[in-house]
Amino acid sequence: MSETLAVGRAVPDAPAAALTPSLDGRRKLQLALGGSWLLDGILQFQPSMFTKAFPAMLAGTAAGNPAFVASPIHWSATLITHHLVVLNAIFATIQVALGLGIAWRPTVRLALAASVLWSLAVWFLGEGLGGVLAGPASLTDGAPGAVILYALLAVLLWPADREPDRRPARFIAARAAGEKTALALWTVLWASMAFFALQPGYRTASGFSDEIRDMAAGQPGWLAWPVSHLASLLAGPGLLAASLLAAAFTVTAFSIWLPARAARPVIVLALVLAAFLWLAQGLGGVFTGGSTDPSSGPLLILLALAYWPAAQARPEAVPGAEGA
Amino acid sequence: MSGPGWLTGLLTAVMLTVAAYNATRLAAAPRWGRAAELDADGTHVVMGVVMAGMLTPALSFAPRPLWLTVFAAGGAWFGWQFLRTRSGQAAGRWRCPHPLPHLIECAAMVFMLALPATATAPAGMGTALTGAAAGFSPLTLLLAVFMIGYVMWLGNNLSAPAVATATGTTVIARTGFLAPRCAACCKIAMGVTMGYMLIMLL
């Protein structure tokens, strides 16, 4: 452990920084993903999650979904209502454990695999498949589902190299999944968001604006102000804003296939779009006391960083980095 | 502290355990001639006790201004140590080589203790803050995110092999340090608990 090393008798004068194990880019992103899980777990321990508002929120995601989605959601919401404290404590503990499991190198694979399963379960039972089948999937609610991004990141940051003996991967996300698969996943994600931006609800003068304005409710003043102003800005030209947003998502989705030099501006655009969405989402409502996660904005940022073209995405082997 | 009583009770017990363990380290390390972070361990003794008192007010036995002064002094110490390490000076056997996280921990304690008492009282914790306290919510979130990042960093280093250093002799160094994994686990427990307390203030 790095902290212990600097005070050991054998190396009393070594600078602390020199004794800290180095982290490669993928490990840093894994730790950021783990930190997100830990934050989610702590948010899940909030007092409001131990009230019936939590299962009511889950039941609300069934609205508009087909029966094969809605029925299990109602069943799970009812079950949680009957065993609220125990089940919510278990849910929160699982998320804390996922975060700590990703942090601890010996369990990183287990935790990432478990996080994929957990994400899929929550995406189905807790988010109603992100509203994808419900009709009006909402970008401000994190469509196609914030939690599915956890699963996607876990797959892309899996601690293995698909082609370890060949040239280094062009970006971190390609190391485990392979370049074409990673690029295809990126395209599907951002193209789906372009599709959601053109839903009928957004093709009105104030559709997008009204959704954003709702996100300002319950927020502290310093955050409610920019969110409200963003909503006001988009109040008139709603259709134009939705079209521009859809165009930006589409460019982001497909320009990623361009060579590395051209792809960098695309990643920057993705970062800007993610930041814009996060603001429109009211930073996920973390300041309202009733949020289970910070929504899709930070995860999209994390995802974009995993696609940043790097000259050397696969570093020299670092002792202790095995498995991570 | 709001939330289920069992949860605050559990966290209180964890904090008291951390405080007791670090007190044991303070006594044992010099006696056994083992290296330790005496400054950080000492801070965690006080921090564990104070956090237990914040979680369970019945355990609070001293006025807030006293603790504010203690943690402000602790922050000043770690701030000075941070400047020393930045200038390349060695930490020595008894001092923490990574003072920044402890500086932030002290700052977070000062922040929580300086908030109006109603904000951190049992009925107030976990409900939306109003007035002056709500204006600090970005700082609260930043501190919480820092603590989470610190926990992740500790977790990552927990299993890092002792050979990844410039000297290649750190296996010996590890044996010279008093129970490094237990110390790290205590820091993780404290970081998670502090993160929870900060999130409850949002």
Side-chain angles (χ1 to χ4, degrees), chain A residues 139 143-144 187-197 253:
Chain A
L139 289 171
T187 300
V188 168
L189 173 69
W190 290 93
S192 75
M193 290 165 67
F195 172 74
F196 296 136

Side-chain angles (χ1 to χ4, degrees), chain A residues 233-312:
Chain A
L233 193 69
L234 301 175
L239 177 58
L240 176 65
S243 304
L244 287 175
L245 197 57
F249 285 144
T250 306
V251 168
T252 306
F254 292 99
S255 301
I256 195 72
W257 293 86
L258 296 172
R261 186 171 293 178
R264 283 200 177 96
V266 178
I267 303 298
V268 172
L269 176 62
L271 290 168
V272 170
L273 287 170
F276 169 80
L277 273 182
W278 200 32
L279 178 63
Q281 292 163 352
L283 306 191
V286 292
F287 295 103
T288 62
S291 169
T292 56
D293 60 67
S295 201
S296 63
L299 297 168
L300 288 171
I301 290 172
L302 206 55
L303 189 72
L305 293 176
Y307 281 81
W308 184 262
Q312 182 71 29

Side-chain angles (χ1 to χ4, degrees), chain A residues 127-278:
Chain A
E127 293 189 346
L129 300 182
V132 170
L133 301 179
S138 166
L139 289 171
T140 54
D141 282 342
V147 76
I148 199 65
L149 296 179
Y150 286 93
L152 179 59
L153 280 162
V155 169
L156 295 174
L157 299 177
W158 187 260
D161 288 303
R162 191 179 175 89
E163 296 167 339
D165 300 328
R166 298 181 64 184
R167 64 180 171 81
R170 210 174 63 156
F171 46 85
I172 290 168
R175 286 178 60 181
E179 193 167 309
K180 286 184 178 170
T181 305
L183 291 174
L185 289 170
W186 171 277
T187 300
V188 168
L189 173 69
W190 290 93
S192 75
M193 290 165 67
F195 172 74
F196 296 136
L198 292 175
Q199 296 279 299
Y202 290 131
R203 294 201 305 264
T204 61
S206 62
F208 199 28
S209 165
D210 290 344
E211 265 194 16
I212 296 173
R213 200 180 307 282
D214 289 345
M215 293 295 151
Q219 302 278 11
W222 63 267
L223 180 56
W225 186 85
V227 175
S228 300
H229 275 70
L230 179 63
S232 301
L233 193 69
L234 301 175
L239 177 58
L240 176 65
S243 304
L244 287 175
L245 197 57
F249 285 144
T250 306
V251 168
T252 306
F254 292 99
S255 301
I256 195 72
W257 293 86
L258 296 172
R261 186 171 293 178
R264 283 200 177 96
V266 178
I267 303 298
V268 172
L269 176 62
L271 290 168
V272 170
L273 287 170
F276 169 80
L277 273 182
W278 200 32

Side-chain angles (χ1 to χ4, degrees), chain B:
Chain B
M1 172 76 66
S2 65
W6 60 265
L7 180 58
T8 52
L10 178 68
L11 292 175
T12 300
V14 170
M15 286 302 93
L16 291 176
T17 305
V18 168
Y21 175 73
N22 279 287
T24 310
R25 292 177 64 87
L26 285 176
R31 176 173 292 212
W32 295 343
R34 305 285 290 273
E37 302 170 358
L38 296 188
D39 49 2
D41 290 345
T43 303
H44 284 162
V45 172
V46 182
M47 210 172 270
V49 170
V50 176
M51 285 169 70
M54 294 170 76
L55 288 159
T56 307
L59 297 177
S60 181
F61 61 90
R64 283 180 173 234
L66 171 66
W67 298 131
L68 267 172
T69 309
V70 169
F71 288 114
W77 166 261
F78 287 114
W80 180 49
Q81 294 301 314
F82 177 65
L83 292 176
R84 277 171 51 95
T85 55
R86 290 276 293 179
S87 64
Q89 296 183 54
R93 276 191 74 191
W94 306 110
R95 289 199 295 267
C96 170
H98 296 286
L100 181 62
H102 304 297
L103 169 62
I104 304 295
E105 280 179 343
C106 287
M109 291 302 293
V110 168
F111 172 71
M112 287 193 285
L113 288 164
L115 282 177
T118 51
T120 52
M125 204 80 150
T127 57
L129 290 181
T130 56
F136 291 107
S137 52
L139 176 60
T140 312
L141 183 64
L142 276 178
L143 288 169
V145 169
F146 181 91
M147 295 319 302
I148 288 169
Y150 179 45
V151 166
M152 298 306 292
W153 182 75
L154 286 167
N156 177 68
N157 291 352
L158 195 59
S159 57
V163 294
T165 70
T167 64
T169 58
T170 51
V171 174
I172 301 168
R174 174 168 283 187
T175 61
F177 193 83
L178 181 62
R181 285 173 196 259
C182 285
C185 287
C186 281
K187 289 174 185 170
I188 288 173
M190 183 148 279
V192 170
T193 306
M194 192 175 283
Y196 170 80
M197 293 173 70
L198 289 162
I199 292 289
M200 293 303 110
L201 287 172
L202 288 176

Side-chain angles (χ1 to χ4, degrees), chain A residues 4 102 104 108 186 232 257:
Chain A
T4 68
I102 291 172
W104 196 39
V108 64
W186 171 277
S232 301
W257 293 86

